[in-house]
């Protein structure tokens, strides 16, 4: 019994997640804007430059500290810098030295009344034969602002990743269970467990698929009942025809009896096809190797040219009678179109793969899938000896899908090849 754990609709859940993401991201960026460092280095005041000239260290909150060096040569600024005489005069006044001893350059015009430098600058003080030069350190390509922003974004991603993943899992988990039950559904077989939890849309989808399966099952049952009634009703006129046929001459009687036998065979094939699609398969453990050995032995006794090559032990679960009919149909097709059949099997990751090879013309890959449709014959002629009723492969696919398996048609260098894949039972 699936526990009911209801969640709101998909639209509401996604809207709540998106809204929450926007709110969290906005809050982080607001916090960075008001509490974090500035994206650019702050201006350097003239007072701070003068204090650095005197060897003092002015307290700073953000940005790199200025550096002062002593040199015996006059500093040479970069070509992008322009002289700033008013700033130099301001520094000289703060230091109490003659203006001609101070030189100043910067790559941007100082702000205010030349009271602060923006960007790169050089201020030099000549005292005697020595120059004291104050500069700001080169601007870094990766600033603290960027690191703070990136770390905050990473924290937001990590904080939102878990609820996003949990919401995605809550939405997708029941959808996967619905897909699994729907892929294994078939007429006449109870539908697998449908999820009663999850978002509202998933619960609506579960109920809709359950109702659809019930309708299809009733339709299949009605079709089987109708076909059985038709076959029963046709039995009486066929019997009367058989009585009148006995009064025909020998040659005409033989041809008429062959036609009557073909009609009875067609009716029987249609009924078996309908019943195979609608009746539940028996759920039992089957030794597939023993089943194939028994089938080929019986066919050899009847004179059929079929051989089998031993393979590994393979246990499957299903209906032994239905699986025997599946492989009998394939072997008979191989003998009909390819004169002989060879049965082998191997175990792969996907399960056990049974191969039926023949020495016939093979299959045209463009028409391979169409051959599984009801009443489609491999031989386009209407010859009853080679054409069959056109239901053999349709019955084969119906039985294989009822056992959660697949059937595919291929060609090899010597003829045709049919691969039947069935899941192994490890219980």
């Amino acid at each position: 019994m699936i526990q009911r754990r209801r969640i709101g609709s998909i639209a509401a859940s996604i809207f709540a997640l998106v809204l929450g993401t926007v709110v969290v991201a906005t809050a982080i960026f607001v916090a960075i804007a008001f509490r974090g460092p500035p994206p650019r280095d702050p201006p350097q005041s003239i007072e701070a430059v003068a204090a650095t000239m005197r060897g003092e260290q002015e307290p700073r909150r953000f940005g790199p500290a200025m550096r002062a060096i002593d040199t015996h040569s006059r500093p040479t600024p970069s070509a992008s810098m322009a002289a700033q005489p008013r700033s130099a005069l301001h520094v000289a006044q703060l230091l109490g030295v003659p203006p001609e001893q101070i030189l100043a350059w910067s790559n941007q015009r100082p702000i205010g009344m030349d009271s602060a430098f923006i960007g790169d600058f050089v201020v030099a003080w000549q005292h005697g034969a020595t120059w004291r030069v104050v500069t700001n350190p080169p601007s870094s390509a990766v600033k603290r602002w960027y690191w703070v922003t990136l770390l905050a974004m990473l924290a937001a991603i990590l904080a939102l990743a878990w609820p996003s993943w949990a919401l995605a899992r809550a939405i997708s988990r029941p959808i996967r269970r619905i897909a699994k039950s729907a892929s294994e559904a078939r007429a006449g077989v109870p539908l697998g467990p449908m999820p009663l939890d999850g978002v509202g849309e998933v619960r609506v989808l579960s109920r809709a698929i359950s109702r659809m399966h019930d309708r299809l099952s009733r339709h299949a049952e009605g079709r089987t009942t109708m076909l059985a009634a038709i076959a029963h009703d046709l039995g009486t006129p066929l019997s009367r025809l058989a009585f009148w046929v006995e009064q025909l001459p020998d040659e005409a009687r033989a041809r008429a009896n062959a036609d009557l036998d073909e009609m009875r065979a067609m009716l029987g094939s249609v009924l078996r096809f309908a019943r195979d699609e609608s009746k539940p398969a028996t759920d039992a453990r089957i030794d597939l190797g023993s089943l194939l050995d028994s089938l080929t032995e019986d066919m050899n006794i009847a004179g059929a040219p079929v051989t089998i090559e031993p393979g590994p032990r393979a246990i499957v679960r299903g209906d032994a009678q239905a699986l025997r009919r599946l492989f009998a149909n394939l072997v008979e097709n191989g003998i009909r179109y390819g004169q002989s059949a060879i049965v082998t099997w191997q175990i792969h990751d996907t399960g056990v793969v049974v191969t039926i090879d023949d020495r016939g013309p093979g299959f045209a890959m463009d028409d391979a899938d169409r051959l599984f449709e009801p009443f489609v014959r491999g031989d386009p002629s209407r010859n009853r000896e080679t054409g069959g009723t056109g239901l053999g492969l349709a019955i084969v696919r119906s039985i294989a899908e009822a056992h959660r398996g697949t059937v595919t048609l291929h060609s090899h260098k010597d003829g045709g090849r049919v691969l039947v894949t069935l899941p192994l039972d490890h219980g």
Side-chain angles (χ1 to χ4, degrees), residues 335-402:
I335 295 172
R336 179 181 297 117
Y337 297 107
Q339 292 77 47
S340 64
I342 302 174
V343 180
T344 60
W345 72 92
Q346 294 179 338
I347 293 179
H348 297 279
D349 294 338
T350 55
V352 57
V353 180
V354 182
T355 304
I356 297 95
D357 287 333
D358 62 50
R359 297 186 179 276
F363 302 98
M365 290 297 99
D366 294 339
D367 296 332
D369 194 61
R370 191 177 64 88
L371 294 176
F372 288 106
E373 298 176 5
F375 304 108
V376 175
R377 300 186 181 193
D379 184 353
S381 72
R382 308 303 295 177
N383 189 333
R384 70 172 65 93
E385 298 298 328
T386 59
T389 61
L391 287 174
L393 288 179
I395 293 174
V396 164
R397 183 170 65 174
S398 175
I399 295 173
E401 290 179 349

Side-chain angles (χ1 to χ4, degrees), residues 67-218:
R67 54 185 181 178
I69 59 173
D70 291 330
T71 180
H72 294 288
S73 60
R74 185 178 185 274
T76 303
S78 64
S80 62
M81 292 186 178
Q84 304 295 338
R86 295 178 58 183
S87 298
L89 177 60
H90 195 174
V91 172
Q93 292 174 350
L94 292 174
L95 293 176
V97 297
E100 59 272 12
Q101 295 183 5
I102 304 296
L103 300 176
W105 300 269
S106 69
N107 61 355
Q108 296 186 44
R109 182 181 177 85
I111 61 175
M113 299 298 293
D114 295 327
S115 60
F117 290 104
I118 301 175
D120 296 333
F121 66 91
V122 175
V123 179
W125 175 18
Q126 183 183 19
H127 50 96
T130 304
W131 290 86
R132 169 160 290 188
V133 181
V134 174
T135 62
N136 60 333
S139 180
S140 175
V142 181
K143 298 181 179 295
R144 181 169 175 257
W145 164 269
Y146 301 145
W147 285 113
V148 172
T149 304
L150 290 175
L151 291 176
M153 293 175 63
L154 178 62
I157 292 173
L158 294 177
L160 295 170
W162 171 245
S164 301
W165 174 251
L167 176 61
R169 292 280 295 175
I171 294 174
S172 63
R173 188 184 301 110
I175 293 178
R176 287 197 299 270
R177 291 204 296 267
I178 291 176
K180 182 176 184 297
S181 297
S183 63
E184 297 175 356
R186 61 187 300 265
V189 179
L191 188 63
M194 300 296 287
L196 302 176
D197 59 346
V199 295
E201 289 86 348
V202 171
R203 297 194 298 271
V204 172
L205 178 61
S206 297
R207 291 192 292 268
I209 291 180
S210 298
R211 290 193 295 268
M212 180 185 68
H213 181 266
D214 292 339
R215 290 195 301 271
L216 293 177
S217 296
R218 289 194 299 270

Side-chain angles (χ1 to χ4, degrees), residues 32-51:
I32 294 174
F34 286 93
R35 302 291 298 176
R40 299 178 180 273
D41 292 337
Q44 300 284 3
S45 66
I46 297 298
E47 289 80 6
V49 172

